[in-house]
Amino acid sequence: MITSTFDRKLARGIQRITSSALGPYQSAVIRIGFSTTYLLFLLRELPNRHEMYGPDAPWRWDMAQQLISGNRAFTTLMWSDSTVWFEAVYAVALLSAVLLMVGWHTRATSVLFMVGVLSLQNRSIFLGDGGDNVIHLMAIYLVLTRCGQVWSLDARRAARAGRAGRVSRAPGPPAGPDVDADVEGQRRSVRGDVAGPVLWVVLGLVLTVATVTDGLGGTLWLPVLFWLLWVGHGAWWVVNRRAPESEARTLLDVIANLAHNATLVVIAAEVCVIYATAGWYKIQGSRWQDGTALHYPLKLDYFTPWPGLSDILASSGVMVMLLTYGTVIVQVAFPFTLFNRRVKNVLLVAMMCEHAGIALLLGLPFFSMAMIAADSVFLPTVFLVWFGGRVTLGRELLFSRRVKVPGQRRAADDEEAPQHSDDGGHTLVG
């Protein structure tokens, strides 16, 4: 009896992790958060891009080439030292961040986003901080997630195609199960998609040239990952177009779901490791032990964008002590609270507020944005659905205002109905 119960639970668990991509809202927030963070960073550094990563950088191109030949890192900026090539890579990084943020062809744009992040950061590795390291890792992880299931243009296009499939069946005989209409809608979506195949062909040509010219770095895993992604995306498109109800489609779904769910676990573990190591290292410091650690960065000109506010906080010994000890307690305790939802949510809010304070008081906005985006993997689904509903309602109220034409009949005004979005679900963008 005990064995059969265990077998049923194991079977349900396996079915759950293979039949669906868990955490769709969390992965969407991670996608939007990190792409927005890097987009704002690139825009802020747009006037300084040549000095940071380009031809005018103190860390010259030949010096970077020597370093990369030793650490075998990947960066497309080593393919050429021309200014035109640098501008092209920077533009692609900007564009990919925008497209990933709105969720347009997320499978392809997530790869381009990863290439842009790795190319710029590996070009001048001495410019980064903790936030850059988090973006570096998450850019790789996002490639393996199905982060466009909700709050994306991809989700909106799929929903419209599904509705078109249902409508197309209405005039005929009684419709079958909804899944048949969804399959028909998905087939229509694939057939009407021109950008997807064009992206696939262009990226395939670039990948071929990069492989032949040995431009994918000195490691083995990255070229293998690129080729697996490229072949997998092509197989996905062919199966969706030719046989959306076949076992091959089911197998591709299972593989994608397993990769997505495993990656979410890795992201959650990464966040726990970051906080645990930071907290335990702080415990060993004498300034953290006596409760004065926060006082010193508040007195450094480099970390005080608001000197008056920093001075007010630094002048209160009790507040400095509470924030110092509170930071250590929250970071050390958080990994142990994951099994208690209420305590976890309280500490999650505390950590996000802490990072907001770091952005305001210490002038590290992008580090804080990156950490808040990483923390969002633990946000409750109920809250995210509620938040998405409020944003959708606000958008509908904003864009459904009726514009009255002078001289128009009152009856026409009365007959005009507000135009509400029929996206289905909670779509934030598009």
Side-chain angles (χ1 to χ4, degrees), residues 222-414:
L222 191 60
V224 172
L225 176 63
F226 279 139
W227 280 109
L228 285 177
L229 290 172
W230 187 76
V231 173
H233 293 173
W236 189 282
W237 187 88
V238 171
V239 170
N240 278 335
R241 181 180 176 89
R242 301 296 181 183
E245 299 177 274
S246 64
E247 294 183 358
R249 165 62 195 274
T250 303
L251 177 61
L252 290 176
D253 268 332
V254 169
I255 295 174
N257 291 335
L258 285 174
H260 170 91
N261 296 332
T263 304
L264 281 189
V265 173
V266 171
I267 292 175
E270 188 81 36
V271 175
C272 290
V273 168
I274 290 173
Y275 284 122
T277 54
W280 286 105
Y281 270 110
K282 286 181 175 67
I283 288 177
Q284 302 175 42
S286 59
R287 295 294 176 262
W288 291 96
Q289 293 175 5
D290 60 26
T292 62
L294 182 61
H295 173 82
Y296 298 98
L298 292 175
K299 291 297 184 179
L300 295 176
D301 294 338
Y302 187 78
F303 291 107
T304 53
W306 310 99
L309 185 60
S310 299
D311 290 339
I312 293 175
L313 182 59
S315 63
S316 175
V318 175
M319 185 61 67
V320 169
M321 181 187 67
L322 290 176
L323 291 176
T324 301
Y325 286 147
T327 299
V328 176
I329 292 172
V330 169
Q331 291 183 349
V332 172
F334 179 74
F336 300 101
T337 65
L338 297 182
F339 300 101
N340 189 308
R341 182 178 302 176
R342 293 182 179 179
V343 179
K344 181 263 295 181
N345 291 338
V346 171
L347 291 188
L348 188 61
V349 173
M351 289 192 302
M352 289 185 172
C353 292
E354 173 192 336
H355 288 302
I358 291 174
L360 178 64
L361 294 173
L362 303 183
L364 298 173
F366 301 112
F367 166 77
S368 299
M369 290 177 64
M371 290 307 304
I372 291 175
D375 292 342
S376 62
V377 71
F378 297 108
L379 287 175
T381 302
V382 174
F383 167 75
L384 293 176
V385 173
W386 172 85
F387 180 76
R390 302 287 75 74
V391 174
T392 301
L393 179 61
R395 185 191 61 189
E396 290 178 349
L397 293 176
L398 180 63
F399 292 102
S400 63
R401 295 176 179 176
R402 294 175 296 177
V403 180
K404 295 183 179 180
V405 180
Q408 189 177 9
R409 291 185 308 167
R410 186 68 181 175
D413 289 341
D414 294 337

Side-chain angles (χ1 to χ4, degrees), residues 72-259:
R72 299 186 297 174
F74 166 77
T75 171
T76 57
L77 291 178
M78 290 296 99
W79 294 0
S80 173
D81 61 347
S82 69
T83 304
V84 175
W85 176 247
F86 166 76
E87 297 289 0
V89 172
Y90 202 91
V92 169
L94 273 170
L95 181 61
S96 63
V98 174
L99 296 179
L100 186 62
M101 179 180 64
V102 299
W104 184 81
H105 288 277
T106 52
R107 291 192 182 97
T109 53
S110 63
V111 177
L112 288 176
F113 179 73
M114 179 185 70
V115 170
V117 170
L118 296 183
S119 296
L120 294 175
Q121 291 189 356
N122 289 338
R123 165 63 176 84
S124 299
I125 61 175
F126 301 108
L127 293 178
D129 57 17
D132 294 309
N133 293 335
V134 175
I135 294 175
H136 190 110
L137 293 172
M138 295 301 172
I140 300 175
Y141 296 154
L142 277 174
V143 171
L144 302 175
T145 63
R146 305 183 75 171
C147 54
Q149 298 177 95
V150 296
W151 297 346
S152 67
L153 297 181
D154 289 347
R156 186 174 185 175
R157 184 174 62 250
R160 286 180 172 177
R163 287 193 297 270
R166 295 186 185 92
V167 172
S168 66
R169 297 175 63 95
D178 288 342
V179 66
D180 296 336
D182 292 338
V183 168
E184 178 63 25
Q186 195 164 45
R187 186 185 291 114
R188 288 169 175 265
S189 177
V190 171
R191 287 177 178 175
D193 181 23
V194 178
V198 172
L199 272 173
W200 187 79
V201 172
V202 172
L203 294 179
L205 293 175
V206 174
L207 184 58
T208 302
V209 173
T211 303
V212 172
T213 58
D214 196 22
L216 297 179
T219 58
L220 179 62
W221 69 269
L222 191 60
V224 172
L225 176 63
F226 279 139
W227 280 109
L228 285 177
L229 290 172
W230 187 76
V231 173
H233 293 173
W236 189 282
W237 187 88
V238 171
V239 170
N240 278 335
R241 181 180 176 89
R242 301 296 181 183
E245 299 177 274
S246 64
E247 294 183 358
R249 165 62 195 274
T250 303
L251 177 61
L252 290 176
D253 268 332
V254 169
I255 295 174
N257 291 335
L258 285 174

